[in-house]
Amino acid sequence: MKPIIQLKDVTYIYEDETEPVLKDCSLEINEGEFVLIVGPSGCGKSTLCQTFNGIIPNVMEGRIGGEINVDQKNVLELDLKDLSTSMGLVFQDPDAQLCNIYVEDEVAFAPENLKVDPVEIRGRIQDCLDKVGMTGFENRKVFELSGGQKQKVGIASVLAMEPQILVLDNATANLDPQATKDIFDLLQVLHKEFGHTIIVVENKIDDIMHLVDRVVVMEDGTIIQSGTPQEVLESSIDQLTDMGVWVPEISELAIQLKDRGMTFNRFPISVEDAAQELEGRWRSEAPILPSNDVTQLQPEALKVKDLDYYYPNGTQALKDVNFSIKKGDFVTILGTNGSGKTTLVKHLMGIIRPPKGKVFLKGNDTFKRDLLSMTDDIGYVFQNPEHQFVADNVFEEAIYSLKVKHGIESDDELPDEIKEQGVRALMDVNLLDQKDKHPFMLSGGEKRRLSVIASLILGQDIVILDEPTTGQDYASATKLLELCKDLQAQGKTVIMITHDIRLVCKWADSALVMHQGELIYDGDVKRLFMNEDVLTKASLIEPPISLLAKRLVPSLRDEAVITIEDFLQTEERVKQVL
C-alpha cells in the first residue's frame, strides 16, 4: 500500500499563543486504511486532522513548520479548495456544517460550487444518498431530520466531492446509541466496499475499535504510539487509562483476567473476540448471583402524575407519563433523540411550567412555582456548559448564584462566607488554580465541572444533568461522575440524561426509558438489559459486558451482568473462568 497522507516533523502554534499544540508530528497513513486517533482532551487530535485538509493554516492562522503531503499534494502550498476533492471532514455538530434547507440541495452544494456539470451532480446526489442509506429523503427539510440523519446527510455532502479520504472528528458525540452504530456501520461499508481511507477521532471506543486497522495515540501534541488495536491495547492499556483515554471495556476485562493468570491466543477487543477466548472455560451453568437489592424507604424527591404535553404545532411530546424518584436516587433517563427526555426534564425544572396536579417536588405541587424559585431546590446543568456561563472569571462564575440570592452587586465587597464557599467549591472539582481564567478558556472537561458546581452552589437537593459527558475523555467523564456519586452519598438526588450506556451501567442505580413521548421502562438498570422488548423499542445498545455474559451463560434470567465488577464479583466465578 502507498501512503496517501504523509506528515513529517509538523509543529503548529495557534495565533497569539506561545506553546505549540503539535510538536514534531510525523505520520504516514496508507491508501485504504481505517485509522482511529485517540488521546486525552487537548492533546491535539482535532488540530492534527485540520492539517490534513488545509484548515490549518489556511483558515486557522498561526505558525506551522514541517511537511504535509496529502494525495501527492503539498498542503502548505495549496488553497483550501484545492484539497476539497481529496479529503472530506465531518465535524461533531452536523448543524454547524449544514447550510441548505433541503437534503438534495445540501448534497449538491459543494459540487455546484466547483462548477461540476448539473447532470453529473444529479448522479452524485443519488449515489451518495444511497451510500448513506438516505435514498428517498431528497426533498425532506434538513432541520426536520434526526441527529443521526443529519450526520448522514453531512457525510453524503462530503462524499459528493468524491474525496478518497474521509475524516470524522467526534462525529457521533451528540448521537444516540443506534444512530452511532448506524454511522459506524456506514464507515465500514465505505471502507470495505468502496475503498475509502477513513480517519476517525472518537470517544465511543467500544463500538469502533474492532473495525479499524490501526490506532494512533497522541499525548501533549505528539504521536507516541501507532499499531494494530490488539498491539496498542495489550501493551499499553494501563498507560492509556492513566492518560484519560477511553479503552474497550472488553479489553479492560481481559487485562484483569490476565492479572489472574489467564492467557489468550488473541487479545480480545470485542465481544466476539472475548467469547471465542472464554467459551469452554466458563461452564454455562455457572451461577450469576443477583445484586443485593435492599429497598430503602426514602421520601419522594420528585413525582410525575399523568403528564401530557403538546408542542405549539400540535405534536404530542409527552403521553401520560407517571413515575416517582426517591430522595438519594441516581437515575438515568434514556431514549433516542426526540423521545421526550429533555421535554420531560424541563417540566421537572419548571422551564416548562407543568399543569396543576402533574409534577410534585417533595410532595408539593409545582404548578404555581416560577423558575427562579425552583432553582432553590433543583440545579440544572445544560448540555452545553457555555450556554450558562455569565461571569468573566471562574471564581465569579462559581459564586454567581450566591451573589444573586443575597442581592450582592458586582462592585459590592464579598462577604467572607461567600468567598470561602466559592473556594471550597472550586477545590472540590480541582479548579481553584484556574480561578482567574475566563470560563471559555477552560478545557471541555473543566467547563463541565465548573458548570456543575456553579449550578449546585446553592446546595440544592436535586441535580439534573443533560448529556454531561458528551465529547469528554475518560478522565474528565470519570471525575464528573465521581462528583455526582459524592453528591448522592450526601443524600442528594442525581438525574442524568445520557446516551452513554457504559456510564449508565457503572454509575446509575435506576433508569427511566422514553420512547415517542411515552415512559416504557421504570426500574433497576440491571433488569433493563434483560428486557429485550424495551431495548428494541428504544433502540438501546447493550453494554459489551452484558452481551458477553449472556453469550457465556445463557441461563441468565433476572439481572444482566453490566460491569466488569459484576463479571468478577464472586471468587467462585473467577475460578470457573480460570
Side-chain angles (χ1 to χ4, degrees), residues 303-339:
K303 182 177 181 178
V304 173
K305 184 178 180 182
D306 304 326
L307 179 62
D308 296 300
Y309 181 73
Y310 292 84
Y311 288 123
N313 65 6
T315 301
Q316 189 170 7
L318 298 175
K319 306 173 186 177
D320 194 29
V321 176
N322 290 271
F323 65 86
S324 67
I325 296 174
K326 298 293 187 184
K327 182 180 185 297
D329 275 358
F330 194 139
V331 182
T332 182
I333 303 178
L334 303 171
T336 58
N337 294 335
S339 62

Side-chain angles (χ1 to χ4, degrees), residues 555-573:
S555 58
L556 279 173
R557 288 292 180 269
D558 297 325
E559 289 187 350
V561 177
I562 58 175
T563 66
I564 292 173
E565 291 73 19
D566 288 342
F567 199 94
L568 302 173
Q569 71 174 340
T570 68
E571 184 179 355
E572 180 61 27
R573 190 183 318 145

Side-chain angles (χ1 to χ4, degrees), residues 162-306:
E162 297 189 336
Q164 170 59 29
I165 308 163
L166 191 61
V167 181
L168 290 90
D169 187 1
N170 270 318
T172 70
N174 296 316
L175 303 185
D176 61 51
Q178 187 59 53
T180 297
K181 185 178 185 301
D182 290 344
I183 294 297
F184 291 161
D185 289 345
L186 169 61
L187 294 182
Q188 191 172 27
V189 170
L190 294 173
H191 174 232
K192 295 291 187 183
E193 297 184 18
F194 296 99
H196 286 279
T197 303
I198 308 287
I199 303 164
V200 176
V201 175
E202 185 57 65
N203 287 326
K204 298 176 181 178
I205 297 300
D206 287 304
D207 302 314
I208 198 170
M209 184 67 79
H210 61 287
L211 303 179
V212 307
D213 303 315
R214 183 153 57 108
V215 178
V216 173
V217 183
M218 292 190 69
E219 184 179 29
D220 193 25
T222 62
I223 296 171
I224 63 171
Q225 194 171 6
S226 176
T228 68
Q230 275 85 6
E231 290 169 348
V232 170
L233 288 167
E234 188 167 19
S235 65
S236 306
I237 195 168
D238 288 339
Q239 180 185 4
L240 293 174
T241 52
D242 288 344
M243 287 166 50
V245 176
W246 292 102
V247 298
E249 198 168 27
I250 290 296
S251 298
E252 286 189 57
L253 172 64
I255 288 295
Q256 294 207 31
L257 291 174
K258 280 186 69 175
D259 290 343
R260 289 163 170 77
M262 190 172 200
T263 58
F264 298 103
N265 296 317
R266 175 181 168 84
F267 186 76
I269 62 173
S270 68
V271 172
E272 188 62 34
D273 291 344
Q276 290 179 4
E277 292 288 335
L278 294 176
E279 278 174 335
R281 309 195 201 191
W282 187 330
R283 297 203 311 269
S284 63
E285 69 272 16
I288 303 273
L289 302 181
S291 61
N292 294 323
D293 185 12
V294 180
T295 302
Q296 296 183 345
L297 297 177
Q298 292 282 8
E300 282 181 343
L302 283 164
K303 182 177 181 178
V304 173
K305 184 178 180 182
D306 304 326

Side-chain angles (χ1 to χ4, degrees), residues 480-505:
L480 178 60
L481 270 299
E482 286 174 345
L483 173 61
C484 292
K485 209 67 178 176
D486 287 344
L487 293 172
Q488 185 190 18
Q490 297 167 25
K492 299 185 185 296
T493 305
V494 180
I495 302 169
M496 178 175 68
I497 299 176
T498 186
H499 290 311
D500 195 323
I501 297 299
R502 183 165 168 181
L503 292 180
V504 168
C505 292

